[in-house]
Amino acid sequence: MSRPELQAPPEIYYGDIEAKKYTNNSRIQQIQADMTYRALELLNLPPDEPAFLLDIGCGSGLSGEILDDEGYTWVGVDVAPSMLEVALEREVEGDLFLQDIGQGFGFRPGSFDGAISISVIQWLLNAETSHPTSSPPHRLARFFTTLHSALRNPSRAILQFYPTSDDQIQLITSIAQKAGFGGGVVVDYPNSKKARKVFLCLFVGSGGAQQVPK
Amino acid sequence: MVRLITHNLLACHAKGCTSNNFPLQFKDVAIEIREAEFNPDFLRGFLARLEWGALVDAARQLGDTSLPPEVPDMLDDDFLKSLHHVLLEIHVEEGAMICPNCQHVYAISNGIPNMLLAEHEIG
Ligand SMILES: [Zn+2]
């Protein structure tokens, strides 16, 4: 079967049934949890300090539950109402917003101590959305520019995603850089077709004291 | 689940709406109070990020008058507990947030604000 992002826009693809299937699939749960912990590691927040985080494409709250467990206060945005419904049922603690990240954010400058995103931004690479007209580069630029502004200086955004080609990584990275981000790409298990995971590690300012962990 | 902590960070993001677009004004709201864990360190660290006047006004609109008009010099427990309640325990479940500049209505349903823009509003 082809990738979900090639079949329909996320708010259509993740209808009530897909949203529940996705959330209740224990293999997906485990992968999402692993990637969330890895994203938090790469986020490199100062230890034992409370932080206010943005979960981009929070979906049904699989990553949000981990943010709750880790003691973070967070805001989650997602474009699929059915996913947010499931998140409500699961009683996650974060504030949830129905939002298309390709339209950008309205958060005031310096609102967040960091941002994570698990398996989401590949959706921005597809022109077909139910809110049409904007091309992927335009939507990506709007997303990264408003995200950069919403983050504190210094801080990081760690965005795990599924690119289909190196060209896609190149496109996304160059637009993020134009929006003001530093940083780069971390690839876990680069030689495994199944386990390979791409994390875009974006820095605002210095991104914090340390360099990208290996 | 819109809490005032998030409302205080939120400006209108419609195309061309770049001034007088904060704070969004609540309309016809239904609220729920839900207890949250008190974390004084978090609150102290967060104070610098808040627009205090906007927070006091928003809290009043939701019927809470416990916050002083200025941030006090001494952040004692009484103050921090009021701040905790206002920021993290008052949930706006229904209603709307309206941009004071372009009048865009961000409807809130089941605790979730709809931030989607119409095509002509996308920047
Ligand atoms: Zn506006």
Side-chain angles (χ1 to χ4, degrees):
Chain A
M1 203 170 72
S2 74
R3 288 162 165 260
E5 66 270 23
L6 299 178
Q7 294 179 40
E11 67 276 27
I12 309 288
Y13 181 81
Y14 291 114
D16 291 344
I17 293 165
E18 279 302 324
K20 286 218 165 65
K21 260 207 303 205
Y22 184 89
T23 310
N24 294 328
N25 179 318
S26 61
R27 191 181 64 87
I28 287 175
Q29 281 176 10
Q30 187 57 50
I31 295 172
Q32 292 289 108
D34 290 347
M35 292 192 295
T36 305
Y37 284 116
R38 178 65 170 139
L40 283 173
E41 186 183 9
L42 293 166
L43 206 53
N44 199 31
L45 293 162
D48 307 320
E49 264 180 45
F52 189 66
L53 303 180
L54 178 62
D55 186 351
I56 299 160
C58 62
S60 55
L62 291 172
S63 43
E65 280 183 347
I66 291 170
L67 299 180
D68 286 339
D69 288 347
E70 297 290 314
Y72 296 115
T73 309
W74 58 279
V75 171
V77 302
D78 204 283
V79 74
S82 299
M83 285 292 218
L84 293 172
E85 285 295 317
V86 179
L88 282 183
E89 282 168 26
R90 291 158 66 86
E91 299 187 330
V92 294
E93 308 251 340
D95 283 354
L96 305 173
F97 285 81
L98 179 63
Q99 190 150 16
D100 176 355
I101 58 172
Q103 297 181 347
F105 299 109
F107 296 112
R108 289 197 288 112
S111 289
F112 296 96
D113 298 302
I116 63 163
S117 177
I118 306 297
S119 312
V120 172
I121 59 168
Q122 68 271 6
W123 290 96
L124 285 174
L125 293 163
N126 296 286
E128 189 206 355
T129 81
S130 61
H131 319 281
T133 66
S134 300
S135 65
H138 182 91
R139 287 167 54 78
L140 282 163
R142 182 88 185 135
F143 165 65
F144 282 122
T145 308
T146 55
L147 174 63
H148 186 272
S149 156
L151 290 166
R152 296 184 79 188
N153 184 358
S155 69
R156 293 183 183 185
I158 308 296
L159 317 172
Q160 178 273 329
F161 73 113
Y162 290 110
T164 49
S165 67
D166 287 346
D167 284 353
Q168 287 193 341
I169 297 179
Q170 187 58 42
L171 174 72
I172 285 185
T173 311
S174 69
I175 295 174
Q177 278 167 356
K178 259 188 228 142
F181 283 108
V185 168
V186 170
V187 182
D188 286 355
Y189 310 106
N191 299 319
S192 160
K193 205 178 164 200
K194 260 190 143 166
R196 186 175 194 266
K197 295 286 178 302
V198 178
F199 292 84
L200 189 58
C201 301
L202 300 177
F203 294 4
V204 178
S206 65
Q210 288 149 298
Q211 292 304 304
V212 177
K214 293 267 151 48
Chain B
M1 285 204 299
V2 197
R3 293 174 295 183
L4 290 189
I5 188 170
T6 319
H7 171 262
N8 197 262
L9 298 172
L10 197 62
C12 179
H13 68 304
K15 184 178 188 173
C17 193
T18 51
S19 62
N20 187 34
N21 60 347
F22 171 89
L24 303 178
Q25 303 295 312
F26 284 118
K27 187 161 180 263
D28 300 333
V29 293
I31 60 167
E32 246 177 56
I33 306 295
R34 268 179 250 145
E35 256 179 65
E37 203 176 317
F38 179 57
N39 183 341
D41 286 342
F42 176 75
L43 296 167
R44 276 190 213 99
F46 210 84
L47 260 179
R49 238 173 283 184
L50 295 169
E51 286 284 343
W52 189 256
L55 180 66
V56 174
D57 285 350
R60 292 219 165 125
Q61 279 187 42
L62 302 184
D64 188 295
T65 55
S66 64
L67 294 180
E70 308 283 341
V71 180
D73 296 331
M74 283 286 290
L75 306 180
D76 61 21
D77 247 26
D78 276 354
F79 168 73
L80 290 172
K81 284 203 166 126
S82 300
L83 181 60
H84 167 74
H85 179 71
V86 166
L87 285 181
L88 297 164
E89 295 190 323
I90 305 175
H91 296 252
V92 178
E93 291 293 321
E94 302 291 333
M97 297 183 289
I98 297 170
C99 172
N101 183 42
C102 75
Q103 309 297 320
H104 182 97
V105 176
Y106 297 97
I108 303 169
S109 168
N110 211 0
I112 299 177
N114 182 343
M115 305 305 287
L116 300 176
L117 300 174
E119 221 182 306
H120 67 277
E121 296 172 314
I122 300 172

